[in-house]
């Protein structure tokens, strides 16, 4: 591998064109699958009965609960105490059946073209964008609201603190620059119209591209146009963006208070029953085609609201909407193969499809008297966060003629904005790390965790009880639980990912079926007879193709689940800059994403440089060098030439 390349820890398995319907097979089988799970890399599943399992050397520094560093032992049947430390105390490790159930269900959904049951359908993607939002005012308009466009924005120096949305009166002052007048800094204001202060203005205390202590006022102009908007749009865009700011792990207390104050002011405004005479300051963006810049904004255009001018977009298309028919099944009369087998709850919660499987907990195959022998040393993990849906270069497919794309629109090669919902890449999977090694020397902070994992090479035994399932369902289930079946066309070492810290290499496991027993019921000599029949050989020889698994995702699935797919020479890491390639601990992980956007030559059109390659091959990404970071032109920082109103 070249020194300036890396493999992203995750990729996606493409969705087929349509979701499959549940099978119509009428045969029924009941019994048990006996199987094992062997750790190929260390495994960690937390015992959450305490988040202070181990003594951290600088524990006193974490007296503030919001800045506390959490530590967890591996899951066991022992209820740990919050005020006790377990550095030298060991318990029999247990893999909860629910953990394996989740893993197997995800695999089954992938292979049978089923829904994505774990999807958060109402999640609204949010992405930081390079364009500059404009000043606007919203107010009640009948049963809905309206947004005033292109209002004036003035910086103002207050003698005292005034809350967001406060109506005051000012005298507008301008300063001349290169023959043009620009809003100046105001120093005079009044709480009622008097003297020179006659222009009605609304206070906004932060988010205008200056320090958070700075304040602006927005003033409606006589020629300000307006469009209708809904209360839902305000809640789904403005309030969502504020929430994302509040949830930033490194947010400063002063900024957090500013976000909370603005949020409270917005909510108070929405509860106000006055109509037409109360305004509230916001920033807005309306993506339009470049050729439409001189035409009025049309009603029904996509509108994004935010407290800031250099900010984020909260998109109209939710993850559930973009998933389409692959969103979790809610109509129990029309469910997918996975929901028919694993169960689901209907949309109205009064209907449900019962699960036909029960996963028992898994215990070590060889019960050791020396329980310590199951475990690795206590280790502090590198910081991990949740899915970064704003990373559209990875989470969305690139439209054919796009330079830049989002969940609601894309910008084509001519610089025009095309309103079109984004297309999800598919189901998320993690690569296996053959040459796994712990990263030593990670500092304990409130953003990461300290854990004690089970070491590699430990085998756990478990059982899956099935009831009234068809032969086809049993065949599919056995193939998955058996880690695939090796034949002339399938030579991969199929392994799966289980537990926590998958991106760092933990959680690679090998599953293997030892026995499949079917309960056979017969009537003999006037009595009902029960017996177990060993049917292992009947099912453990079927191949991927013979099971009728997904054609669309076959290559990517077998590649990502192949333990030996990634050569030892390839670095598996979240994206890194060139200067970060030698670092053992990745800091400032946002840099690569930030510099993965640039301007095209002299046209200044926005472009995403690299997108995530398909998972059908092990293809690396390049770290960015200063030569490719064309977006560092300070004169154009935060600016974009594509149309925004």
């Amino acid at each position: 591998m070249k020194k300036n390349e890396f493999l992203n820890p995750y990729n996606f398995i493409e969705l087929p064109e349509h979701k499959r319907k549940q099978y119509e097979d009428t045969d029924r089988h009941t019994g048990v699958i006996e199987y094992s799970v062997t750790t190929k890399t260390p495994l960690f599943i937390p015992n959450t009965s305490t988040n202070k399992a181990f003594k951290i050397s600088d524990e006193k520094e974490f007296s503030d609960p919001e800045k506390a560093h959490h530590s967890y032992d591996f899951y066991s049947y022992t209820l740990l105490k919050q005020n006790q430390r377990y550095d030298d105390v060991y318990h029999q490790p247990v893999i909860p059946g629910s953990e394996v159930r989740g893993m197997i269900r995800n695999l089954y959904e992938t292979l049978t073209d089923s829904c994505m049951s774990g999807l958060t359908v109402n999640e609204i993607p949010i992405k930081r964008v390079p364009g500059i939002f404009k000043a606007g005012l919203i107010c009640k308009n009948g049963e809905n609201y309206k947004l005033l466009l292109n209002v004036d924005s003035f910086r103002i120096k207050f003698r005292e603190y005034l809350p967001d949305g406060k109506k005051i009166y000012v005298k507008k002052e301008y300063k001349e620059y290169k023959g043009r007048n620009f809003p100046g800094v105001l120093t005079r204001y009044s709480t009622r119209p008097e003297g020179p202060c006659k222009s009605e203005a609304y206070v906004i205390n932060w988010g205008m591209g200056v320090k958070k202590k700075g304040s602006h006022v927005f003033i409606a102009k006589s020629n300000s146009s307006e469009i209708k908007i809904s209360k839902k749009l305000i809640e789904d865009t403005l309030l969502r963006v504020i929430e994302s700011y509040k949830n930033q792990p490194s947010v400063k207390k002063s900024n957090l208070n500013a976000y909370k104050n603005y949020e409270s002011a917005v909510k108070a405004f929405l509860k106000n029953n006055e109509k037409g005479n109360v305004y509230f300051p916001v920033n807005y963006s309306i993506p339009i085609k470049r050729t439409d810049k001189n035409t009025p904004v049309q009603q029904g255009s996509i509108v994004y609201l935010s407290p800031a001018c250099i900010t984020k977009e909260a998109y109209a298309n939710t993850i559930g909407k973009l998933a389409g028919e692959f969103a979790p099944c809610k109509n129990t009369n029309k469910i997918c193969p996975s929901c028919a087998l694993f169960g689901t709850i209907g949309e109205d919660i009064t209907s449900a499809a019962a699960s036909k499987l029960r996963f028992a907990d898994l215990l070590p195959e060889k019960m050791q008297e020396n329980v310590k022998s199951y475990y690795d040393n206590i280790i502090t993990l590198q910081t991990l966060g949740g899915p970064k849906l704003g990373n559209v270069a990875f989470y969305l497919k690139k439209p054919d003629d796009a330079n830049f794309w989002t969940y609601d629109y894309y910008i084509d090669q001519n610089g025009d904005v095309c309103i079109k919902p984004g297309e999800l890449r598919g189901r998320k999977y993690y690569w296996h790390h053959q040459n796994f090694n712990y990263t030593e020397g990670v500092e304990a902070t409130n953003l990461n965790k300290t854990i004690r994992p089970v070491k590699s090479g430990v085998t756990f035994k478990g059982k899956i009880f099935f009831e009234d399932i068809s032969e086809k369902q049993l065949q599919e289930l056995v193939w998955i639980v058996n880690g695939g079946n090796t034949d002339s066309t399938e030579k991969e070492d199929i392994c799966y990912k289980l537990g926590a810290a998958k991106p760092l290499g933990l959680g690679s496991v090998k599953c293997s079926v030892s026995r499949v027993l079917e309960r056979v019921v017969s009537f003999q000599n006037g009595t009902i007879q029960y017996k177990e029949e060993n049917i292992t050989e009947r099912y453990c020889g079927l191949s991927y193709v013979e099971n009728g698994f997904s054609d669309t995702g076959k290559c990517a699935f077998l590649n990502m689940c192949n333990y030996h797919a990634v050569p030892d020479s390839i670095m598996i890491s979240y994206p890194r800059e060139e200067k970060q390639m030698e670092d053992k601990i990745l800091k400032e992980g946002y840099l690569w994403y930030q510099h993965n956007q640039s301007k095209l030559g002299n046209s200044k059109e926005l472009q995403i440089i690299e997108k995530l390659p398909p998972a059908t091959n092990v293809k690396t990404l390049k770290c960015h060098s200063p030569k490719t970071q064309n977006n560092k032109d300070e004169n154009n920082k935060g600016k974009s030439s594509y149309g925004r109103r």
Side-chain angles (χ1 to χ4, degrees):
M1 184 198 75
K2 298 180 180 179
K3 291 184 178 181
N4 63 341
E5 295 182 359
F6 60 88
L7 181 69
N8 193 59
Y10 64 83
N11 210 312
F12 297 86
I13 296 176
E14 185 177 359
L15 296 171
E17 187 174 351
H18 295 291
K19 180 177 69 176
R20 291 188 193 180
K21 298 178 181 179
Q22 65 174 313
Y23 306 139
E24 297 180 355
D25 308 64
T26 57
D27 59 303
R28 293 291 177 262
H29 303 267
T30 298
V32 61
I33 299 172
E34 298 176 355
Y35 70 108
S36 64
V37 171
T38 301
T39 57
K40 300 279 281 189
T41 62
L43 171 70
F44 183 70
I45 299 168
N47 183 335
T48 56
S49 57
T50 179
N51 58 12
K52 294 184 177 180
F54 309 119
K55 179 175 176 55
I56 308 301
S57 59
D58 50 357
E59 191 170 355
K60 292 182 180 179
E61 296 183 13
F62 301 110
S63 56
D64 184 348
E66 294 185 0
K67 296 182 179 180
H69 176 79
H70 292 164
S71 59
Y72 297 93
D73 202 356
F74 194 88
Y75 184 84
S76 68
Y77 289 144
T78 303
L79 185 64
L80 306 181
K81 297 179 180 179
Q82 189 75 3
N83 60 353
Q84 184 175 340
R85 301 296 177 260
Y86 296 88
D87 298 63
D88 298 317
V89 181
Y90 298 86
H91 304 97
Q92 197 77 43
V94 178
I95 298 179
S98 58
E99 287 283 332
V100 178
R101 177 189 178 87
M103 177 186 75
I104 298 297
R105 177 164 191 163
N106 181 57
L107 294 162
Y108 191 88
E109 289 173 356
T110 302
L111 295 174
T112 60
D113 295 337
S114 294
C115 76
M116 295 186 281
S117 63
L119 210 64
T120 307
V121 294
N122 295 323
E123 185 168 6
I124 295 176
I126 297 176
K127 173 179 171 56
R128 181 170 289 280
V129 290
I132 298 178
F133 280 36
K134 294 188 175 183
L137 291 167
I138 55 177
C139 73
K140 197 76 181 290
N141 181 32
E143 295 301 318
N144 289 301
Y145 292 81
K146 63 181 179 181
L147 169 66
L148 267 62
L149 309 177
N150 298 319
V151 304
D152 275 335
S153 171
F154 288 83
R155 179 82 181 276
I156 190 167
K157 292 183 178 179
F158 289 135
R159 295 187 298 269
E160 58 186 338
Y161 172 80
L162 294 178
D164 294 293
K166 173 73 175 178
K167 181 167 71 172
I168 61 174
Y169 295 87
V170 299
K171 177 187 176 182
K172 295 189 286 186
E173 298 179 8
Y174 295 89
K175 59 182 179 180
E176 185 179 341
Y177 180 73
K178 292 185 177 181
R180 295 177 60 188
N181 285 331
F182 293 89
V185 178
L186 309 183
T187 57
R188 292 185 290 178
Y189 69 92
S190 173
T191 56
R192 62 180 184 274
E194 59 182 6
C197 298
K198 295 181 180 180
S199 297
E200 185 178 296
Y202 293 84
V203 176
I204 183 168
N205 281 299
W206 64 281
M208 294 305 302
V210 296
K211 293 182 179 179
K212 296 295 184 285
K213 65 181 180 181
S215 299
H216 277 64
V217 291
F218 290 176
I219 305 173
K221 296 187 290 190
S222 58
N223 62 346
S224 293
S225 58
E226 62 182 49
I227 60 171
K228 295 178 181 179
I229 59 174
S230 66
K231 182 179 180 181
K232 186 176 187 303
L233 183 140
I234 298 172
E235 293 172 337
D236 287 349
T237 57
L238 186 58
L239 291 180
R240 294 274 185 163
V241 169
I242 297 170
E243 191 67 25
S244 74
Y245 281 127
K246 288 165 49 184
N247 291 335
Q248 293 175 120
S250 58
V251 63
K252 295 181 179 179
K253 188 174 182 179
S254 59
N255 289 346
L256 180 60
N257 291 335
Y259 303 150
K260 289 180 178 179
N261 290 340
Y262 187 87
E263 180 183 43
S264 297
V266 173
K267 292 179 178 179
F269 168 78
L270 293 176
K271 289 182 179 180
N272 197 316
N273 293 322
E274 295 183 66
K275 299 180 180 179
N277 60 346
V278 177
Y279 289 82
F280 192 85
V282 298
N283 290 276
Y284 72 90
S285 172
I286 304 175
I288 61 170
K289 288 187 177 181
R290 186 173 57 178
T291 53
D292 293 340
K293 282 185 179 181
N294 297 322
T295 61
V297 174
Q298 300 296 315
Q299 189 63 44
S301 300
I302 294 179
V303 178
Y304 303 110
L305 300 179
S306 172
C309 62
I310 299 177
T311 183
K312 306 176 182 180
E313 291 175 342
Y315 295 108
N317 288 298
T318 63
I319 295 298
K321 183 177 180 181
L322 295 179
E325 61 181 299
F326 289 94
C329 296
K330 291 301 180 183
N331 186 343
T332 53
N333 294 320
K334 298 179 180 179
I335 56 179
C336 66
S338 179
C339 288
L341 182 60
F342 288 84
T344 188
I345 298 176
E347 191 167 20
D348 57 3
I349 314 179
T350 60
S351 59
S355 174
K356 298 178 180 179
L357 304 174
R358 179 169 65 86
F359 287 74
D361 292 344
L362 292 86
L363 301 175
E365 179 182 39
K366 298 178 180 179
M367 304 297 282
Q368 305 286 351
E369 291 186 10
N370 180 16
V371 182
K372 181 179 179 180
S373 63
Y374 294 117
Y375 293 100
D376 270 342
N377 293 329
I378 297 169
I379 188 78
T380 298
L381 299 176
Q382 295 186 62
T383 301
L384 292 172
K388 302 297 188 293
L389 297 181
N391 179 17
V392 295
F394 287 8
Y395 280 86
L396 293 181
K397 290 183 179 180
K398 175 186 176 183
D400 291 339
D401 60 338
N403 281 333
F404 181 84
W405 57 97
T406 74
Y407 288 86
D408 289 349
Y409 64 89
Y410 70 90
I411 302 173
D412 66 20
Q413 296 175 359
N414 296 319
D416 283 336
V417 174
C418 304
I419 307 300
K420 183 181 178 182
E423 187 176 354
L424 299 179
R425 287 290 302 265
R427 308 175 197 267
K428 190 175 185 179
Y429 276 70
Y430 290 91
W431 295 103
H432 294 290
H433 299 224
Q434 277 191 78
N435 57 342
F436 171 82
N437 287 299
Y438 289 111
T439 302
E440 302 287 347
V442 179
E443 180 185 359
T445 71
N446 63 312
L447 302 179
N448 59 8
K449 304 289 185 291
T450 294
I451 66 169
R452 180 159 58 196
V454 164
K455 65 184 181 182
S456 58
V458 178
T459 298
F460 293 81
K461 287 286 190 179
K463 295 181 179 181
I464 304 172
F465 298 90
F466 57 90
E467 183 175 2
D468 290 338
I469 69 175
S470 69
E471 184 173 38
K472 180 174 179 58
Q473 290 173 317
L474 183 55
Q475 290 172 351
E476 294 169 337
L477 188 61
V478 169
W479 190 93
I480 294 171
V481 179
N482 198 37
N485 299 300
T486 303
D487 63 11
S488 59
T489 61
E490 297 171 19
K491 298 180 180 180
E492 299 85 359
D493 184 6
I494 301 299
C495 293
Y496 307 133
K497 282 281 193 173
L498 180 67
K502 299 180 185 73
L504 301 179
L506 276 72
S508 292
V509 297
K510 178 69 176 180
C511 296
S512 179
V513 170
S514 53
R515 288 198 308 174
V516 182
L517 302 175
E518 181 177 9
R519 188 181 69 184
V520 179
V521 182
S522 62
F523 190 76
Q524 297 179 2
N525 301 323
T527 61
I528 298 177
Q529 302 289 327
Y530 293 88
K531 68 175 182 177
E532 287 185 337
E533 180 180 342
N534 191 329
I535 57 173
T536 310
E537 293 184 2
R538 187 190 308 174
Y539 295 105
C540 283
L542 296 176
S543 68
Y544 185 105
V545 174
E546 289 171 332
N547 273 294
F549 287 141
S550 175
D551 290 329
T552 304
K554 178 183 178 182
C555 185
F557 176 86
L558 294 178
N559 193 37
M560 293 212 69
C561 291
N562 182 4
Y563 184 71
H564 300 288
V566 182
D568 291 347
S569 58
I570 291 181
M571 171 191 284
I572 303 177
S573 170
Y574 281 116
R576 295 169 175 252
E577 292 278 86
E578 187 174 43
K579 63 183 180 181
Q580 299 172 314
M581 290 300 290
E582 301 299 325
D583 297 341
K584 291 183 178 180
I585 301 172
L586 177 61
K587 297 179 179 179
E588 297 183 307
Y590 61 88
L591 288 176
W592 187 91
Y593 301 103
Q594 186 180 77
H595 297 148
N596 196 40
Q597 297 177 165
S598 72
K599 304 298 194 312
L600 286 173
N602 296 324
S603 67
K604 300 180 183 177
E605 293 296 347
L606 195 64
Q607 180 193 36
I608 292 176
I609 300 172
E610 285 197 81
K611 61 184 180 66
L612 192 66
T616 50
N617 294 299
V618 178
K619 189 173 182 180
T620 56
L621 291 164
K622 294 181 179 179
C623 67
H624 291 148
S625 65
K627 294 181 180 179
T628 62
Q629 295 171 14
N630 298 325
N631 60 330
K632 281 194 170 182
D633 183 352
E634 293 298 326
N635 295 325
N636 292 316
K637 188 175 181 181
K639 297 183 180 180
S640 173
S641 65
Y642 66 89
R644 285 187 179 275
R645 291 285 179 83

